[in-house]
Short mmCIF file of all heavy atoms in Angstrom, two decimals:
data_model
loop_
_atom_site.label_atom_id
_atom_site.label_comp_id
_atom_site.label_asym_id
_atom_site.label_seq_id
_atom_site.Cartn_x
_atom_site.Cartn_y
_atom_site.Cartn_z
N VAL B 201 92.67 -22.84 -144.35
CA VAL B 201 91.73 -23.96 -144.22
C VAL B 201 91.21 -24.32 -145.61
O VAL B 201 90.67 -23.46 -146.30
CB VAL B 201 90.55 -23.56 -143.31
CG1 VAL B 201 89.51 -24.68 -143.26
CG2 VAL B 201 91.04 -23.24 -141.91
N PRO B 202 91.42 -25.56 -146.04
CA PRO B 202 90.96 -25.89 -147.39
C PRO B 202 89.45 -25.79 -147.51
O PRO B 202 88.71 -25.91 -146.53
CB PRO B 202 91.46 -27.32 -147.60
CG PRO B 202 91.75 -27.84 -146.26
CD PRO B 202 92.05 -26.69 -145.37
N ARG B 203 89.03 -25.56 -148.71
CA ARG B 203 87.62 -25.35 -149.02
C ARG B 203 86.70 -26.42 -148.44
O ARG B 203 85.68 -26.12 -147.83
CB ARG B 203 87.51 -25.37 -150.54
CG ARG B 203 86.65 -24.32 -151.10
CD ARG B 203 86.45 -24.69 -152.56
NE ARG B 203 85.21 -24.12 -153.01
CZ ARG B 203 85.17 -23.05 -153.78
NH1 ARG B 203 86.27 -22.46 -154.17
NH2 ARG B 203 84.00 -22.57 -154.15
N SER B 204 87.11 -27.67 -148.59
CA SER B 204 86.23 -28.78 -148.18
C SER B 204 86.01 -28.79 -146.67
O SER B 204 85.08 -29.44 -146.19
CB SER B 204 86.84 -30.10 -148.62
OG SER B 204 88.14 -30.23 -148.06
N LEU B 205 86.86 -28.10 -145.90
CA LEU B 205 86.74 -28.16 -144.44
C LEU B 205 86.20 -26.87 -143.84
O LEU B 205 86.12 -26.72 -142.63
CB LEU B 205 88.10 -28.49 -143.82
CG LEU B 205 88.71 -29.82 -144.27
CD1 LEU B 205 90.06 -30.04 -143.62
CD2 LEU B 205 87.78 -30.99 -143.97
N GLN B 206 85.82 -25.92 -144.72
CA GLN B 206 85.36 -24.64 -144.20
C GLN B 206 83.98 -24.74 -143.57
O GLN B 206 83.53 -23.81 -142.90
CB GLN B 206 85.38 -23.59 -145.30
CG GLN B 206 86.81 -23.15 -145.57
CD GLN B 206 86.93 -22.22 -146.75
OE1 GLN B 206 85.94 -21.76 -147.30
NE2 GLN B 206 88.16 -21.95 -147.16
N ARG B 207 83.32 -25.89 -143.74
CA ARG B 207 82.02 -26.06 -143.09
C ARG B 207 82.17 -26.32 -141.59
O ARG B 207 81.19 -26.30 -140.86
CB ARG B 207 81.25 -27.20 -143.76
CG ARG B 207 81.92 -28.56 -143.64
CD ARG B 207 81.27 -29.58 -144.56
NE ARG B 207 82.10 -30.75 -144.78
CZ ARG B 207 81.89 -31.94 -144.24
NH1 ARG B 207 80.88 -32.10 -143.41
NH2 ARG B 207 82.69 -32.94 -144.51
N PHE B 208 83.37 -26.59 -141.12
CA PHE B 208 83.56 -26.86 -139.69
C PHE B 208 83.82 -25.57 -138.93
O PHE B 208 84.34 -24.60 -139.51
CB PHE B 208 84.73 -27.84 -139.49
CG PHE B 208 84.41 -29.22 -140.01
CD1 PHE B 208 84.90 -29.65 -141.23
CD2 PHE B 208 83.58 -30.07 -139.28
CE1 PHE B 208 84.57 -30.90 -141.73
CE2 PHE B 208 83.25 -31.31 -139.78
CZ PHE B 208 83.74 -31.73 -141.00
N PRO B 209 83.45 -25.52 -137.65
CA PRO B 209 83.59 -24.27 -136.89
C PRO B 209 85.06 -23.88 -136.71
O PRO B 209 85.95 -24.72 -136.79
CB PRO B 209 82.95 -24.59 -135.54
CG PRO B 209 82.97 -26.08 -135.44
CD PRO B 209 82.84 -26.58 -136.84
N ASN B 210 85.27 -22.60 -136.43
CA ASN B 210 86.63 -22.09 -136.26
C ASN B 210 87.38 -22.82 -135.16
O ASN B 210 88.59 -22.98 -135.22
CB ASN B 210 86.59 -20.60 -135.93
CG ASN B 210 86.26 -19.78 -137.16
OD1 ASN B 210 86.47 -20.25 -138.29
ND2 ASN B 210 85.74 -18.58 -136.95
N SER B 211 86.65 -23.27 -134.15
CA SER B 211 87.30 -23.93 -133.02
C SER B 211 88.04 -25.19 -133.46
O SER B 211 88.98 -25.62 -132.80
CB SER B 211 86.26 -24.29 -131.97
OG SER B 211 85.26 -25.10 -132.55
N ALA B 212 87.65 -25.77 -134.59
CA ALA B 212 88.32 -26.97 -135.08
C ALA B 212 89.74 -26.68 -135.53
O ALA B 212 90.55 -27.60 -135.70
CB ALA B 212 87.53 -27.58 -136.24
N PHE B 213 90.06 -25.38 -135.75
CA PHE B 213 91.37 -25.02 -136.30
C PHE B 213 92.15 -24.08 -135.38
O PHE B 213 93.26 -23.69 -135.71
CB PHE B 213 91.18 -24.34 -137.66
CG PHE B 213 90.33 -25.14 -138.61
CD1 PHE B 213 89.00 -24.83 -138.79
CD2 PHE B 213 90.87 -26.23 -139.28
CE1 PHE B 213 88.20 -25.59 -139.65
CE2 PHE B 213 90.08 -26.99 -140.13
CZ PHE B 213 88.75 -26.68 -140.32
N SER B 214 91.58 -23.75 -134.23
CA SER B 214 92.23 -22.76 -133.37
C SER B 214 93.55 -23.28 -132.83
O SER B 214 93.80 -24.49 -132.85
CB SER B 214 91.30 -22.39 -132.21
OG SER B 214 91.08 -23.54 -131.43
N GLY B 215 94.38 -22.39 -132.38
CA GLY B 215 95.66 -22.81 -131.81
C GLY B 215 96.66 -23.27 -132.85
O GLY B 215 97.52 -24.09 -132.56
N ASN B 216 96.52 -22.80 -134.09
CA ASN B 216 97.50 -23.08 -135.14
C ASN B 216 98.02 -21.76 -135.68
O ASN B 216 97.64 -20.70 -135.23
CB ASN B 216 96.84 -23.90 -136.26
CG ASN B 216 96.63 -25.34 -135.84
OD1 ASN B 216 97.57 -26.09 -135.68
ND2 ASN B 216 95.36 -25.71 -135.66
N ASN B 217 98.86 -21.85 -136.67
CA ASN B 217 99.37 -20.62 -137.28
C ASN B 217 98.81 -20.54 -138.70
O ASN B 217 99.55 -20.58 -139.67
CB ASN B 217 100.91 -20.67 -137.27
CG ASN B 217 101.52 -19.35 -137.64
OD1 ASN B 217 100.82 -18.34 -137.74
ND2 ASN B 217 102.83 -19.35 -137.86
N LEU B 218 97.47 -20.45 -138.78
CA LEU B 218 96.82 -20.44 -140.09
C LEU B 218 96.62 -19.00 -140.55
O LEU B 218 96.30 -18.12 -139.74
CB LEU B 218 95.47 -21.15 -140.01
CG LEU B 218 95.54 -22.62 -139.63
CD1 LEU B 218 94.14 -23.17 -139.38
CD2 LEU B 218 96.23 -23.42 -140.72
N SER B 219 96.79 -18.78 -141.83
CA SER B 219 96.59 -17.43 -142.34
C SER B 219 95.10 -17.14 -142.40
O SER B 219 94.30 -18.01 -142.74
CB SER B 219 97.21 -17.30 -143.73
OG SER B 219 96.60 -18.22 -144.60
N THR B 220 94.75 -15.89 -142.03
CA THR B 220 93.33 -15.55 -141.96
C THR B 220 92.74 -15.36 -143.35
O THR B 220 91.58 -15.67 -143.57
CB THR B 220 93.11 -14.28 -141.12
OG1 THR B 220 94.17 -13.38 -141.42
CG2 THR B 220 93.08 -14.61 -139.65
N GLU B 221 93.58 -14.78 -144.29
CA GLU B 221 93.02 -14.58 -145.64
C GLU B 221 92.91 -15.96 -146.29
O GLU B 221 93.83 -16.46 -146.90
CB GLU B 221 93.87 -13.61 -146.46
CG GLU B 221 95.37 -13.62 -146.15
CD GLU B 221 96.23 -14.14 -147.29
OE1 GLU B 221 95.79 -14.12 -148.44
OE2 GLU B 221 97.36 -14.57 -147.02
N SER B 222 91.74 -16.54 -146.12
CA SER B 222 91.53 -17.89 -146.61
C SER B 222 91.12 -17.84 -148.08
O SER B 222 90.85 -16.78 -148.63
CB SER B 222 90.45 -18.58 -145.80
OG SER B 222 89.30 -17.78 -145.79
N SER B 223 91.08 -18.98 -148.69
CA SER B 223 90.63 -19.08 -150.07
C SER B 223 89.18 -18.57 -150.15
O SER B 223 88.47 -18.58 -149.14
CB SER B 223 90.70 -20.53 -150.53
OG SER B 223 90.06 -21.36 -149.60
N PRO B 224 88.73 -18.14 -151.32
CA PRO B 224 87.40 -17.53 -151.39
C PRO B 224 86.34 -18.40 -150.73
O PRO B 224 86.34 -19.62 -150.91
CB PRO B 224 87.14 -17.41 -152.91
CG PRO B 224 88.21 -18.21 -153.57
CD PRO B 224 89.36 -18.22 -152.63
N PRO B 225 85.46 -17.77 -149.92
CA PRO B 225 84.46 -18.58 -149.20
C PRO B 225 83.53 -19.26 -150.19
O PRO B 225 83.33 -18.78 -151.30
CB PRO B 225 83.71 -17.53 -148.37
CG PRO B 225 83.94 -16.24 -149.07
CD PRO B 225 85.29 -16.34 -149.70
N PRO B 226 82.95 -20.38 -149.80
CA PRO B 226 82.04 -21.09 -150.71
C PRO B 226 80.86 -20.19 -151.06
O PRO B 226 80.47 -19.33 -150.28
CB PRO B 226 81.60 -22.31 -149.89
CG PRO B 226 81.88 -21.97 -148.48
CD PRO B 226 83.06 -21.04 -148.50
N LEU B 227 80.28 -20.40 -152.23
CA LEU B 227 79.15 -19.58 -152.66
C LEU B 227 78.01 -19.71 -151.67
O LEU B 227 77.69 -20.81 -151.25
CB LEU B 227 78.68 -20.03 -154.05
CG LEU B 227 79.57 -19.61 -155.22
CD1 LEU B 227 79.03 -20.20 -156.51
CD2 LEU B 227 79.65 -18.09 -155.31
N PRO B 228 77.43 -18.59 -151.28
CA PRO B 228 76.32 -18.68 -150.32
C PRO B 228 75.14 -19.42 -150.95
O PRO B 228 74.88 -19.30 -152.15
CB PRO B 228 75.98 -17.22 -150.03
CG PRO B 228 76.56 -16.43 -151.14
CD PRO B 228 77.74 -17.20 -151.64
N LEU B 229 74.41 -20.18 -150.14
CA LEU B 229 73.29 -20.97 -150.63
C LEU B 229 72.08 -20.09 -150.92
O LEU B 229 71.34 -20.33 -151.85
CB LEU B 229 72.91 -22.04 -149.61
CG LEU B 229 73.87 -23.23 -149.55
CD1 LEU B 229 73.49 -24.17 -148.43
CD2 LEU B 229 73.89 -23.97 -150.88
N VAL B 230 71.88 -19.06 -150.08
CA VAL B 230 70.76 -18.15 -150.31
C VAL B 230 71.33 -16.80 -150.73
O VAL B 230 72.35 -16.37 -150.20
CB VAL B 230 69.91 -17.97 -149.02
CG1 VAL B 230 68.99 -19.15 -148.85
CG2 VAL B 230 70.79 -17.79 -147.80
N PRO B 231 70.72 -16.14 -151.69
CA PRO B 231 71.21 -14.82 -152.08
C PRO B 231 71.17 -13.89 -150.88
O PRO B 231 70.21 -13.89 -150.11
CB PRO B 231 70.24 -14.37 -153.18
CG PRO B 231 69.04 -15.26 -153.05
CD PRO B 231 69.53 -16.54 -152.44
N SER B 232 72.27 -13.14 -150.69
CA SER B 232 72.34 -12.32 -149.47
C SER B 232 71.35 -11.17 -149.53
O SER B 232 71.13 -10.56 -150.57
CB SER B 232 73.77 -11.81 -149.28
OG SER B 232 74.18 -11.17 -150.46
N LEU B 233 70.71 -10.88 -148.39
CA LEU B 233 69.73 -9.82 -148.30
C LEU B 233 70.43 -8.53 -147.92
O LEU B 233 71.50 -8.56 -147.32
CB LEU B 233 68.69 -10.17 -147.22
CG LEU B 233 67.89 -11.42 -147.49
CD1 LEU B 233 67.22 -11.90 -146.21
CD2 LEU B 233 66.84 -11.17 -148.56
N PRO B 234 69.86 -7.38 -148.28
CA PRO B 234 70.46 -6.12 -147.83
C PRO B 234 70.46 -6.09 -146.31
O PRO B 234 69.52 -6.58 -145.68
CB PRO B 234 69.55 -5.05 -148.44
CG PRO B 234 68.29 -5.77 -148.81
CD PRO B 234 68.67 -7.19 -149.09
N PRO B 235 71.51 -5.56 -145.70
CA PRO B 235 71.60 -5.59 -144.23
C PRO B 235 70.46 -4.82 -143.58
O PRO B 235 70.00 -3.80 -144.10
CB PRO B 235 72.96 -4.93 -143.93
CG PRO B 235 73.27 -4.14 -145.16
CD PRO B 235 72.64 -4.86 -146.32
N LEU B 236 69.98 -5.33 -142.44
CA LEU B 236 68.92 -4.66 -141.70
C LEU B 236 69.48 -3.43 -141.02
O LEU B 236 70.65 -3.40 -140.65
CB LEU B 236 68.37 -5.60 -140.62
CG LEU B 236 67.48 -6.73 -141.07
CD1 LEU B 236 67.22 -7.66 -139.89
CD2 LEU B 236 66.16 -6.20 -141.62
N PRO B 237 68.68 -2.41 -140.84
CA PRO B 237 69.16 -1.26 -140.06
C PRO B 237 69.40 -1.68 -138.62
O PRO B 237 68.79 -2.66 -138.17
CB PRO B 237 68.02 -0.25 -140.18
CG PRO B 237 66.83 -1.04 -140.55
CD PRO B 237 67.31 -2.22 -141.31
N PRO B 238 70.28 -1.01 -137.89
CA PRO B 238 70.52 -1.39 -136.49
C PRO B 238 69.24 -1.35 -135.67
O PRO B 238 68.33 -0.58 -136.00
CB PRO B 238 71.54 -0.34 -136.00
CG PRO B 238 71.56 0.73 -137.02
CD PRO B 238 71.09 0.13 -138.31
N PRO B 239 69.12 -2.14 -134.61
CA PRO B 239 67.87 -2.27 -133.85
C PRO B 239 67.29 -0.96 -133.39
O PRO B 239 66.07 -0.77 -133.45
CB PRO B 239 68.27 -3.13 -132.64
CG PRO B 239 69.64 -3.65 -132.89
CD PRO B 239 70.18 -3.01 -134.11
N GLU B 240 68.15 -0.01 -132.93
CA GLU B 240 67.61 1.25 -132.41
C GLU B 240 66.86 1.97 -133.52
O GLU B 240 65.76 2.47 -133.33
CB GLU B 240 68.72 2.19 -131.93
CG GLU B 240 69.76 1.57 -131.01
CD GLU B 240 70.91 1.02 -131.81
OE1 GLU B 240 71.78 1.77 -132.25
OE2 GLU B 240 70.91 -0.21 -131.98
N ALA B 241 67.46 1.97 -134.73
CA ALA B 241 66.85 2.67 -135.86
C ALA B 241 65.49 2.06 -136.17
O ALA B 241 64.52 2.76 -136.42
CB ALA B 241 67.75 2.57 -137.07
N ARG B 242 65.41 0.70 -136.10
CA ARG B 242 64.15 0.05 -136.43
C ARG B 242 63.06 0.42 -135.43
O ARG B 242 61.93 0.67 -135.78
CB ARG B 242 64.34 -1.48 -136.43
CG ARG B 242 64.56 -2.03 -137.84
CD ARG B 242 64.67 -3.53 -137.80
NE ARG B 242 65.95 -3.95 -137.27
CZ ARG B 242 66.16 -5.15 -136.75
NH1 ARG B 242 65.19 -6.01 -136.65
NH2 ARG B 242 67.36 -5.46 -136.31
N GLN B 243 63.45 0.47 -134.13
CA GLN B 243 62.46 0.77 -133.10
C GLN B 243 61.91 2.18 -133.24
O GLN B 243 60.72 2.40 -133.13
CB GLN B 243 63.08 0.59 -131.72
CG GLN B 243 62.81 -0.81 -131.19
CD GLN B 243 63.60 -1.09 -129.92
OE1 GLN B 243 64.16 -0.18 -129.31
NE2 GLN B 243 63.63 -2.34 -129.56
N SER B 244 62.81 3.13 -133.53
CA SER B 244 62.37 4.51 -133.56
C SER B 244 61.43 4.77 -134.74
O SER B 244 60.71 5.74 -134.75
CB SER B 244 63.58 5.45 -133.64
OG SER B 244 64.25 5.21 -134.86
N LYS B 245 61.43 3.87 -135.73
CA LYS B 245 60.63 4.14 -136.92
C LYS B 245 59.20 3.58 -136.82
O LYS B 245 58.44 3.68 -137.75
CB LYS B 245 61.33 3.54 -138.15
CG LYS B 245 62.29 4.55 -138.79
CD LYS B 245 62.44 4.40 -140.28
CE LYS B 245 63.12 3.17 -140.73
NZ LYS B 245 63.54 3.09 -142.08
N THR B 246 58.84 2.93 -135.67
CA THR B 246 57.56 2.22 -135.61
C THR B 246 56.32 3.06 -135.90
O THR B 246 55.43 2.58 -136.58
CB THR B 246 57.38 1.50 -134.26
OG1 THR B 246 58.02 2.26 -133.26
CG2 THR B 246 57.87 0.08 -134.33
N PRO B 247 56.19 4.29 -135.41
CA PRO B 247 54.89 4.93 -135.56
C PRO B 247 54.56 5.42 -136.97
O PRO B 247 53.83 6.37 -137.12
CB PRO B 247 54.93 6.09 -134.56
CG PRO B 247 56.36 6.37 -134.33
CD PRO B 247 57.11 5.18 -134.71
N THR B 248 55.06 4.79 -138.03
CA THR B 248 54.64 5.18 -139.38
C THR B 248 53.33 4.46 -139.72
O THR B 248 53.13 3.30 -139.35
CB THR B 248 55.70 4.82 -140.43
OG1 THR B 248 56.15 3.52 -140.17
CG2 THR B 248 56.86 5.79 -140.41
N LYS B 249 52.48 5.13 -140.45
CA LYS B 249 51.18 4.57 -140.83
C LYS B 249 51.32 3.69 -142.05
O LYS B 249 52.09 3.97 -142.96
CB LYS B 249 50.21 5.73 -141.12
CG LYS B 249 49.70 6.40 -139.86
CD LYS B 249 48.19 6.19 -139.75
CE LYS B 249 47.70 6.50 -138.36
NZ LYS B 249 46.85 7.70 -138.31
N LEU B 250 50.57 2.57 -142.06
CA LEU B 250 50.58 1.70 -143.22
C LEU B 250 49.24 1.80 -143.92
O LEU B 250 48.20 1.95 -143.27
CB LEU B 250 50.82 0.25 -142.80
CG LEU B 250 52.24 -0.12 -142.37
CD1 LEU B 250 52.23 -1.45 -141.68
CD2 LEU B 250 53.17 -0.12 -143.56
#
Side-chain angles (χ1 to χ4, degrees):
V201 175
R203 223 191 154 105
S204 58
L205 301 179
Q206 285 174 8
R207 63 192 163 106
F208 292 101
N210 285 337
S211 57
F213 308 100
S214 63
N216 285 291
N217 191 9
L218 298 172
S219 60
T220 39
E221 31 113 21
S222 53
S223 51
L227 285 176
L229 285 175
V230 281
S232 53
L233 297 163
L236 285 172
E240 311 91 79
R242 262 183 285 159
Q243 266 171 13
S244 64
K245 270 211 292 193
T246 33
T248 45
K249 284 244 165 112
L250 286 166

